[in-house]
């Protein structure tokens, strides 16, 4: 089969579903509202960045393949014969949407262009046209269980480092249990929160310690990265394969609750795709997020903090996957209000927040660094500047990478980190908060990338 | 009766009605039967999905937050369109008249009200329709995504509004004729008003009605499907 036929067949298959995609092909009113709320189009109002233009790459072929008007009237009905030479454009365009779903919030019909983007990427994936970086991350992830390609040994070294740091900070042993069968909680962070920016994980460990629950949780030396790039390449098979490792590991460890870390898309896949979709049948465990879990203990007054440890102005960036897709918006704020002296909202926020510009895997793509800095992240930079904050908390490794690069690129002296990082620095253990250590310059080199 | 009048007023309405009903039924059936694996809730989402979807279809709150200027034109345009649709029902069936009469309004009062409301609606509809057209040709983000079908749909509707307004504001046209015509269609013995303007207005409307199931104007039905997909918890 030629590439042309493959594309045409894949597009024609939309006729059979999913329902959302089929309707999106047929009812877009071409009003342009999505363009005015899209971070990419905001960053650079070029035709190719107009969400509806991008979606038309597929829509026009659909009209040609599946509608009478398109077959008979062709161009006049907005239909177009697919031309293989377009594929290059497809790669560029479908990898310039951050999948933030902001368009769907404001489109009068709720058309979610990210669904069309993902379909486009899925088609590209079957043709082997997924950008190299993304391909590699998926491969490594399926092979090693984490997107960094770190071995269990490297992981254990990182955990040791983490425990040492906490001992230095508090003068007591704060455990990070690993591979404990029969524990209640199984903590699944993004690997970056163990290997690079460790404070989110030390934060979670300290909460367990403070609650006297140190022996009731565990991490896994094989499964310590909820990140799952199959969501981004559009490849359901690899997404499920990756996901399966984690569900199996949870079953093997006989845990009761899977505690997802500060990683938006990982939580979305577990809680909003795998669980309700019953990918692996009924689960012997529940799924929650560490933000929800910690916030609940704060609400119940079980944790104490020394806010003066975080006296700088702090703002929160709602990761699109946590906000628009998972409705986790109040919990991080509860944590930040409890742990910081000067918390400031950026505007708009929660479900209406602007994407960091690195969504849908874009933040991992160094090939489009300048595009991310100048275009997709433009609005975010403006939003952050307007708050006057000196620390941006973002509960997501992808957002963090994008935001850190944004601050460097735009020469802003604003730190970027997680939510539990603020908690880690201010939580009282035996009545005392940590002596702060600057981790950024001490991170262990365990990444093979 | 001229052949033209007979075709436009006697034959096409039936074909248009059939095309519309079959086309839309087919669409709705296919849409509701197409599978949707998994959920795609978009937050914040209300607990009452039906209410949220209806609100979206009636008031366009999403658009209100996204593009206020477009919201104003689009909402006035669609709301007036709905009003005018009701007005036509009144003319054809007399049902609304009976309700109003039962509420104690005299025939003269009803006619005067119809004239005022209908007249204003016609003008507002034309104005907002033209604004939407101007927006489409001048606003970059709308212009660059507009194709022939988008202009065709808008121009067609504007032409219908225009001929409708000409009937109202031009030489006197006895509306009672259309009531007779509507009744005659049901009994398959067409009595078509011999009025050039009326025939043009009717022909254009028929084209629109037949075009809907094949066009993006489907959005008036599709909105319920797409909105419930993202608003369902
Ligand atoms: S806002 Fe919705 S209807 Fe309007 S152009 Fe974008 S996708 Fe189409
Ligand atoms: S998902 Fe986000 S980046 Fe993609 S088209 Fe919609 S608003 Fe733009």
């Amino acid at each position: 089969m030629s590439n042309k036929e493959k594309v045409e067949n894949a597009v024609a298959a939309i006729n059979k579903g999913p329902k959302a995609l089929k309707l999106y092909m047929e009812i877009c009113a071409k009003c342009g509202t999505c363009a005015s709320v899209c971070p990419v189009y905001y960053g650079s109002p070029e035709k190719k960045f107009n969400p509806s233009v991008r979606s038309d790459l597929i829509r026009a072929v659909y009209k040609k393949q599946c509608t009478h008007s398109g077959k008979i009237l062709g161009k006049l009905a907005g239909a177009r014969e697919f031309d293989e030479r377009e594929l290059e454009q497809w790669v560029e365009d479908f990898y310039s949407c951050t999948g933030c779903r902001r368009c769907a919030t404001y489109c009068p019909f709720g058309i979610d262009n990210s669904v069309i983007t993902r379909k486009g990427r899925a088609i590209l994936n079957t043709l082997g046209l997924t950008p190299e970086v993304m391909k590699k991350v998926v491969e490594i992830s399926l092979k090693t269980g984490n997107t960094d390609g770190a071995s269990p040994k490297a992981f254990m070294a990182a955990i040791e480092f983490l425990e040492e740091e906490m001992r230095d900070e508090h003068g007591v042993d704060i455990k990070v249990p690993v591979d404990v069968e029969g524990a209640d909680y199984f903590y699944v962070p993004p690997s970056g929160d163990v290997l690079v920016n460790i404070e989110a994980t030390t934060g979670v460990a300290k909460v367990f310690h403070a609650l006297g629950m140190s022996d009731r949780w565990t991490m896994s030396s094989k499964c310590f990265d909820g990140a799952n790039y199959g969501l981004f390449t559009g490849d359901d098979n690899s997404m499920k394969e990756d996901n399966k490792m984690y569900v199996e590991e949870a079953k093997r460890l006989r845990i009761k609750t899977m505690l997802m870390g500060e990683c938006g898309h990982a939580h979305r896949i577990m809680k909003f795709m795998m669980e309700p979709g019953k990918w692996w049948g009924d689960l012997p465990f529940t799924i929650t997020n560490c933000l929800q879990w910690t916030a609940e203990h704060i609400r119940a007054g079980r944790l104490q903090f020394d806010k003066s440890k975080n006296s700088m102005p702090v703002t929160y960036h709602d990761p699109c996957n946590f906000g628009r897709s998972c409705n986790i918006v109040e919990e991080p704020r509860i944590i930040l209000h409890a742990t910081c002296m000067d918390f400031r909202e950026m505007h708009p926020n929660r479900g209406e927040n602007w994407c960091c510009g690195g969504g849908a895997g874009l933040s991992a793509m160094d090939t489009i660094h300048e595009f991310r800095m100048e275009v997709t992240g433009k609005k975010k930079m403006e939003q952050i500047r307007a708050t006057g904050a000196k620390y941006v908390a973002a509960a997501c490794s992808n957002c963090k990478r994008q935001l850190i690069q944004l601050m460097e690129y735009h020469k802003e002296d604003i730190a970027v980190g997680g939510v539990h990082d603020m908690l880690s620095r201010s939580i009282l253990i035996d009545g005392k908060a940590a002596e702060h250590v600057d981790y950024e310059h001490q991170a262990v080199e365990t990444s093979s990338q | 009766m001229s052949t033209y009048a007979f075709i436009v007023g006697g034959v096409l309405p039936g074909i248009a009605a059939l095309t519309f009903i079959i086309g839309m039924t087919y669409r709705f059936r296919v849409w509701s039967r197409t599978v949707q694996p998994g959920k795609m809730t978009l937050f914040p989402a209300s607990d009452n999905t039906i209410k949220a979807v209806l609100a979206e279809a009636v008031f366009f709150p999403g658009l209100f937050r996204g593009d206020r200027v477009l919201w104003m034109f689009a909402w006035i345009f669609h709301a007036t369109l709905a009003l005018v649709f009701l007005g036509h029902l009144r003319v054809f069936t007399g049902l609304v008249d009976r309700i109003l009469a039962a509420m104690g309004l005299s025939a003269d009062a009803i006619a005067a009200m119809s004239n005022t409301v209908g007249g204003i609606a016609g003008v507002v509809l034309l104005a907002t329709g033209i604004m939407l057209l101007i927006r489409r040709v001048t606003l970059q983000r709308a212009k660059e995504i507009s194709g022939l079908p988008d202009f065709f749909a808008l121009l067609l509707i504007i032409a219908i509004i225009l001929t409708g307004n000409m009937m109202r504001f031009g030489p006197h046209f006895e509306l009672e004729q259309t009531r007779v015509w509507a009744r005659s269609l049901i009994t398959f013995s067409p009595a078509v008003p011999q009025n050039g303007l009326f025939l043009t207005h009717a022909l254009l409307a028929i084209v629109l009605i037949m075009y809907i199931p094949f066009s993006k104007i489907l959005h008036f039905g599709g909105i319920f499907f797409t909105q419930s997909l993202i608003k369902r918890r």
Side-chain angles (χ1 to χ4, degrees), chain A residues 28-34 107-109 111 113, chain B residues 145:
Chain A
C28 168
K30 301 278 171 185
C31 68
T33 306
C34 47
C107 165
F109 312 103
I111 292 179
N113 286 285
Chain B
I145 57 176

Side-chain angles (χ1 to χ4, degrees), chain B residues 13-26:
Chain B
I15 299 179
L18 270 182
T19 314
F20 182 79
I21 291 168
I22 296 176
M24 289 315 284
T25 316
Y26 172 75

Side-chain angles (χ1 to χ4, degrees), chain A residues 191-203:
Chain A
S191 55
D193 283 0
V194 184
L195 306 176
V196 192
N197 315 302
I198 65 168
E199 287 180 273
T201 298
T202 58

